[in-house]
Amino acid sequence: MFLRRGYVFLVIHFLHSPGVWAHFSTSYTPRMVCALAGSSIHVDCTYTYPGHLYVKETFWYRGCSSNGEMKDLSQDKQFKGRIQYLGNKKSNCSMMIKDLKDSDSGEYCIRIITNVLWEKWSGTPGVDLSVSELQVSVASDTVTEGESVTLTCSTTCSLSNNPTYIWYRNSQPVSNNHAVVNNILLLKPVSSEDAGNYSCVVKGYEDHPSLAVPLSVRFAPKNTMASIIPSSEVSEGSFVILTCSSDAYPPVHDYTWYRQNGLGTFSVGAGKTIHFTVALEDGGHYFCEAKNEVGSQNSTTMELTSAVSSQWTKGELAAIIIVPILALLVLATVVVTCWLRKKAIVNEDSVIKADVKQCTSNVYCSTVATISDPACFKMTPGPHVSVQHDEHYPTLHFTPSWQEVSLSSSIAKEHQFK
């Protein structure tokens, strides 16, 4: 019985002794891998096994140090289509994993199954894989113009092969004016134009950038400008609007307006926009001051000329010219009308001029209706009566002194005007 037991012991010891046909071994290159999310890794793997055996199956699994299930990764939904076995059943056990994810981090080993049920091998310790995203960090996300700022592109593990880093601002490559040392971007001095969202990539993996990190740059007001509406040359009583604009971060919190003239500089209002009705004394040079937490800046001056209103529209000019003329015409018409009426009354009362025909001695018959519209009058010429004769009819001028006469119908008919 003793011999049997010893024989069995010797046989088992013989089968598993190094250098005999019961020897397994594995080799991984590299043993520790730091890779970017989205990239791929290639692990070189070789193995040896006892010569009296032959390999039936090889596969990779994860979780080498655990006592859990050794599951073929090619059958795992998480790795399906992403893991590729590059080895054979003789000595090569290399593999590749594509499109790495953060969740892929862990320890990976090769599993060898032979034709002998109890002759199986796990190549532990395995390959330690760390998958990391690129991250941009900055000491302060808000700096002041003129200062220096350092941005760092990093991973949770150390990438191998000394990768080259590329920096982007607002998805555009950063200017070559800024220094890049390994994974560090130095902005010295920083300007307002450097504000934006920064990200980094590793050369060769441009499709897998880091998340963008904002950088704000505080700066005092600049490009401060003042404007006037409608224009700088206005008339008394006009309504004007003054507007001040400026670039600043943080935004301008205080706008102040000033007016300069021969007496000095005076504050005339506050606010981005002011408005007023122009008076003669409002003429002068105006400018605004923009101020924020970092500093202040004055705009250039603009001249506002205020004058007595002389800017008329065509309608206003027409009204100014035509109205007085119409008034004068109306006045002249009234004067002439009154004068003519007065003259008519005077003529009626003092002088009668008419074309007459002499009917009989001292009796004249008028061809024009006169006072009481008599047909004939008996005239008594006196020192104030004169009779002028022209080619056809006599014309009588006299001071009223007449006597209406009754003529018989026969005389009237006889001397009726033809």
Side-chain angles (χ1 to χ4, degrees):
M1 187 69 178
F2 175 78
L3 291 175
R4 280 187 171 184
R5 289 178 179 175
Y7 175 75
V8 173
F9 171 76
L10 289 174
V11 171
I12 294 174
H13 178 73
F14 178 76
L15 291 175
H16 290 276
S17 296
V20 193
W21 28 289
H23 180 69
F24 284 88
S25 68
T26 52
S27 175
Y28 303 110
T29 303
R31 293 296 298 257
M32 299 186 68
V33 181
C34 176
L36 289 173
S39 67
S40 301
I41 62 165
H42 181 281
V43 178
D44 288 327
C45 173
T46 59
Y47 64 94
T48 62
Y49 58 95
H52 70 287
L53 303 173
Y54 67 87
V55 176
K56 290 182 61 177
E57 184 181 1
T58 57
F59 61 85
W60 285 80
Y61 69 98
R62 185 170 66 161
C64 308
S65 58
S66 68
N67 296 322
E69 181 184 3
M70 298 178 187
K71 185 177 182 180
D72 184 354
L73 292 182
S74 64
Q75 304 302 316
D76 190 329
K77 291 183 178 180
Q78 180 180 339
F79 291 91
K80 192 171 184 179
R82 296 195 298 121
I83 189 167
Q84 183 178 1
Y85 183 71
L86 304 174
N88 52 43
K89 296 180 181 180
K90 294 181 179 180
S91 62
N92 191 345
C93 53
S94 300
M95 68 96 172
M96 176 185 289
I97 303 178
K98 299 181 292 185
D99 192 20
L100 290 169
K101 307 179 184 302
D102 289 339
S103 58
D104 293 340
S105 297
E107 186 181 12
Y108 293 79
C109 297
I110 187 69
R111 179 70 169 167
I112 300 173
I113 299 175
T114 69
N115 59 317
V116 178
L117 182 60
W118 60 83
E119 292 292 353
K120 300 177 182 179
W121 176 261
S122 291
T124 60
V127 176
D128 189 7
L129 172 63
S130 296
V131 181
S132 175
E133 299 272 1
L134 287 174
Q135 296 179 340
V136 174
S137 59
V138 58
S140 174
D141 59 358
T142 302
V143 294
T144 301
E145 191 172 41
E147 297 179 345
S148 298
V149 61
T150 299
L151 294 92
T152 304
C153 184
S154 60
T155 54
T156 55
C157 55
S158 298
L159 297 176
S160 58
N161 303 324
N162 297 318
T164 299
Y165 293 86
I166 302 173
W167 287 89
Y168 293 88
R169 183 178 71 88
N170 298 333
S171 301
Q172 299 297 320
V174 170
S175 169
N176 293 330
N177 296 331
H178 298 300
V180 177
V181 181
N182 296 326
N183 61 330
I184 294 176
L185 172 65
L186 178 62
L187 306 177
K188 182 181 180 180
V190 68
S191 71
S192 58
E193 287 76 19
D194 293 325
N197 296 311
Y198 284 82
S199 61
C200 63
V201 299
V202 170
K203 188 175 182 179
Y205 298 95
E206 285 81 1
D207 292 337
H208 304 284
S210 69
L211 293 177
V213 172
L215 175 67
S216 299
V217 180
R218 306 190 324 153
F219 59 95
K222 59 179 62 177
N223 303 322
T224 304
M225 298 179 61
S227 62
I228 182 171
I229 297 176
S231 68
S232 59
E233 210 171 301
V234 295
S235 302
E236 182 184 17
S238 298
F239 186 79
V240 297
I241 301 174
L242 304 182
T243 302
C244 188
S245 62
S246 182
D247 298 327
Y249 185 79
V252 174
H253 60 72
D254 186 13
Y255 288 97
T256 306
W257 286 90
Y258 297 91
R259 176 167 60 89
Q260 292 177 331
N261 57 23
L263 300 177
T265 301
F266 309 92
S267 174
V268 294
K272 185 178 180 65
T273 301
I274 63 173
H275 48 81
F276 54 89
T277 301
V278 176
L280 283 175
E281 61 272 15
D282 290 331
H285 291 84
Y286 286 77
F287 68 92
C288 63
E289 178 191 36
K291 184 184 298 183
N292 71 351
E293 299 171 6
V294 183
S296 63
Q297 184 186 47
N298 291 342
S299 70
T300 56
T301 60
M302 59 178 182
E303 185 176 7
L304 177 64
T305 303
S306 175
V308 176
S309 179
S310 60
Q311 306 294 323
W312 304 102
T313 64
K314 292 182 179 180
E316 291 172 332
L317 287 173
I320 291 173
I321 294 172
I322 294 175
V323 170
I325 292 176
L326 291 177
L328 289 174
L329 289 175
V330 171
L331 180 61
T333 301
V334 171
V335 170
V336 171
T337 301
C338 293
W339 180 78
L340 290 175
R341 292 185 62 185
K342 182 177 181 181
K343 183 178 180 181
I345 294 173
V346 170
N347 288 341
E348 185 176 330
D349 292 340
S350 60
V351 177
I352 296 177
K353 179 180 179 180
D355 291 334
V356 297
K357 278 188 176 183
Q358 190 170 1
C359 299
T360 58
S361 178
N362 293 333
V363 176
Y364 292 84
C365 292
S366 175
T367 61
V368 180
T370 58
I371 297 174
S372 301
D373 198 21
C376 297
F377 297 88
K378 183 178 180 179
M379 310 303 297
T380 304
H384 300 290
V385 178
S386 63
V387 178
Q388 298 179 358
H389 296 271
D390 56 19
E391 184 178 356
H392 300 287
Y393 300 101
T395 301
L396 180 65
H397 294 274
F398 59 91
T399 298
S401 178
W402 64 80
Q403 178 181 357
E404 184 176 351
V405 295
S406 298
L407 301 178
S408 64
S409 58
S410 59
I411 296 177
K413 289 180 180 180
E414 182 180 353
H415 295 282
Q416 186 177 5
F417 291 138
K418 295 182 180 179

